[in-house]
Amino acid sequence: MTGFWNALPTEGRWLLSTVAIQTLGRGLTLPFTIIYLHEVRGFDLALSGALMSVIAITALAVTGPGGTLIDRYGARSVLLVGLTAMIAGCALLAFATHPAVAAVALVLMGVNFGVSWPGFNALIASVVDGEIRQQYFGVNFALVNLGIGVGGIIGGFYVDVDDPATFTTIFLADAASQLIPMALLLGPLRRVRTQGAGDEQADDAGAMSYRAILRRPAILWLTLLTFIAMFIGYGQMEAGFPAFARQVSGVSTQVVGFSFAVNTAVIVLLQFAVLRFISGHRRTRVMQVMALVWAASWLILGATGLLPGSLAAAIGVLAFMGVFAFGETMLQPTVPAMYNDLATDRNRGRVNAVNAAAFQGGAITGPIAAGLLLDQGWDAGYIATMVAGCVAIIVLAIALERHVSATANGVTEPSPSAAPAPAPATGTEAATGLTDPPTPR
């Protein structure tokens, strides 16, 4: 960790040192937003669920235009707009007593989520590169989980559904936490440039369109892989997994809640070790290992349905989250790093927007599929679908490896200039054309 920190440029240290504090505010509100809408503001559950979907739908809608604006005006300018929208949205939601007001607030928050993923990824990629970039994405992921996890714990102890003021406080705290990245963008990071040169950007406008980007086989395969990973991964964390754990495994809500704490703990504790393990290995191979780990986790969860309501089921649910988190530590350093190694400064915003759209698409369709399968009582079919998704990731990773360069795949190719030049032949060697073979190194 010391070597990694020393290798970072000053801008990278600024970005990384504040991640956990920035995301702590998000952790305060993330688990409790639907509780706030339904139990505190009195909106019925169906309406509350529909309002929650507004964030993801808005984020997906603005991701494409956001990526284009990032390439044209720079990530810094777009992120400042997104953060302003987030502050306004959180502050408005804190006092929302009518569904229409809450909807406007959630749209504003969705705007930020839509541009923050491609924006911050483009910013990171402009600051760090090479092997450090992969390590950075991994460490950043661990710190994001740490901030959200700690925020969730604090929020759980603080909020009280009988005291609306406690919920107002956490949403205002979430708004205040956005001032930290805003201060960084206006201060230490104000000179970081993510967009390409203006003339070159105009010349390549057609070649850098979303259609042209997705026609590149490496981007296309990686995007399909990302979508499926999100569909069977994060798309199940807020809907499919809790529903299966409650209805099929028969565990308590306390066990479900504690499983998320296990998830966070495993990521924070193992991310650094995993980064050292995967360093220098092909990212596509790491993705295949991740898929095998996730398949094992879904089989563990499926097995809990054989002993519903038992201690074994509770242990299995916790084990599922722990094993799943281990797979996450392999996903987050590899996929964003590969996207950015396949991008240039002239299309980095759009390439990261494609990544974000695949993530959001999987996160939206995953819960829908889970609801349809579990509502019909197809418990085994649900687990089988998740395992089949893991197999699909392995197949896509194999296909991706054929189209991606070794450098983008996380392997440093030896430079031809690094090979020692042969000594000039003299005497008999020159006459016969024979020389000794180079000594193996």
Side-chain angles (χ1 to χ4, degrees):
M1 186 61 186
T2 302
F4 165 74
W5 182 258
N6 292 335
L8 286 178
T10 302
E11 294 86 354
R13 296 179 186 178
W14 274 112
L15 270 172
L16 200 62
S17 62
T18 58
V19 168
I21 302 174
Q22 295 173 32
T23 55
L24 187 143
R26 184 60 186 145
L28 285 172
T29 60
L30 181 63
F32 309 109
T33 303
I34 194 166
I35 295 174
Y36 168 72
L37 295 173
H38 176 53
E39 298 188 35
V40 177
R41 294 309 182 191
F43 308 154
D44 65 60
L45 192 56
L47 177 59
S48 299
L51 286 171
M52 289 294 294
S53 69
V54 168
I55 298 178
I57 294 171
T58 304
L60 184 60
V62 305
T63 293
T68 302
L69 291 173
I70 288 168
D71 287 332
R72 180 171 298 176
Y73 300 108
R76 176 177 168 273
S77 300
V78 176
L79 284 171
L80 285 171
V81 174
L83 290 168
T84 302
M86 183 68 177
I87 292 171
C90 288
L92 187 61
L93 190 60
F95 301 99
T97 57
H98 191 278
V101 178
V104 172
L106 294 168
V107 166
L108 290 171
M109 294 168 70
V111 168
N112 177 65
F113 293 145
V115 301
S116 62
W117 181 297
F120 275 111
N121 278 3
L123 202 66
I124 291 168
S126 297
V127 171
V128 294
D129 56 15
E131 182 64 24
I132 296 297
R133 180 182 288 170
Q134 176 170 292
Q135 295 174 5
Y136 190 104
F137 279 117
V139 175
N140 183 77
F141 176 63
L143 292 176
V144 166
N145 276 272
L146 177 62
I148 291 178
V150 172
I153 293 171
I154 295 173
F157 281 108
Y158 177 72
V159 295
D160 181 359
V161 294
D162 295 322
D163 184 3
T166 59
F167 285 87
T168 299
T169 300
I170 63 171
F171 282 107
L172 292 178
D174 192 3
S177 70
Q178 309 307 313
L179 295 174
I180 297 172
M182 184 174 283
L184 288 179
L185 294 170
L186 293 172
L189 303 180
R190 65 185 182 279
R191 300 189 186 280
V192 176
R193 180 182 177 89
T194 58
Q195 71 271 38
D199 293 340
E200 295 176 345
Q201 198 171 353
D203 294 340
D204 286 352
M208 293 299 106
S209 67
Y210 281 111
R211 179 177 297 180
I213 290 171
L214 288 172
R215 280 178 177 171
R216 295 172 57 187
I219 296 288
L220 179 60
W221 289 118
L222 183 57
T223 300
L224 290 173
L225 187 152
T226 303
F227 172 80
I228 294 177
M230 295 310 104
F231 180 89
I232 67 170
Y234 298 110
Q236 304 304 321
M237 291 303 99
E238 294 183 9
F241 159 67
F244 190 97
R246 289 286 294 144
Q247 298 176 16
V248 183
S249 305
V251 302
S252 66
T253 53
Q254 287 79 9
V255 171
V256 174
F258 191 64
S259 70
F260 282 91
V262 170
N263 180 274
T264 298
V266 169
I267 291 171
V268 172
L269 293 174
L270 291 187
Q271 184 67 82
F272 301 101
V274 170
L275 282 172
R276 182 161 51 178
F277 172 75
I278 67 176
S279 178
H281 292 279
R282 294 185 184 275
R283 290 166 180 160
T284 49
R285 308 289 172 84
V286 176
M287 295 173 192
Q288 293 174 52
V289 174
M290 177 214 74
L292 291 173
V293 171
W294 274 7
S297 72
W298 284 112
L299 290 173
I300 290 172
L301 182 65
T304 63
L306 302 176
L307 298 168
S310 65
L311 177 61
I315 294 173
V317 167
L318 298 178
F320 160 78
M321 267 300 207
V323 176
F324 184 87
F326 177 48
E328 290 181 75
T329 63
M330 302 181 205
L331 175 71
Q332 291 300 333
T334 53
V335 170
M338 183 177 285
Y339 268 108
N340 281 281
D341 284 349
L342 291 170
T344 68
D345 287 343
R346 285 173 284 172
N347 69 355
R348 195 173 303 283
R350 278 163 285 189
V351 169
N352 278 292
V354 169
N355 179 20
F359 185 102
Q360 292 157 359
I364 291 171
T365 56
I368 295 173
L372 292 173
L373 290 169
L374 294 175
D375 187 57
Q376 297 296 321
W378 296 340
D379 308 333
Y382 172 73
I383 297 296
T385 300
M386 300 302 109
V387 174
C390 295
V391 174
I393 290 175
I394 294 174
V395 173
L396 289 170
I398 293 172
L400 174 62
E401 188 169 315
R402 299 172 182 172
H403 296 282
V404 71
S405 67
T407 301
N409 208 5
V411 180
T412 304
E413 294 180 307
S415 173
S417 61
T426 59
T428 306
E429 294 172 347
T432 61
L434 299 175
T435 58
D436 291 333
T439 303
R441 298 181 61 184

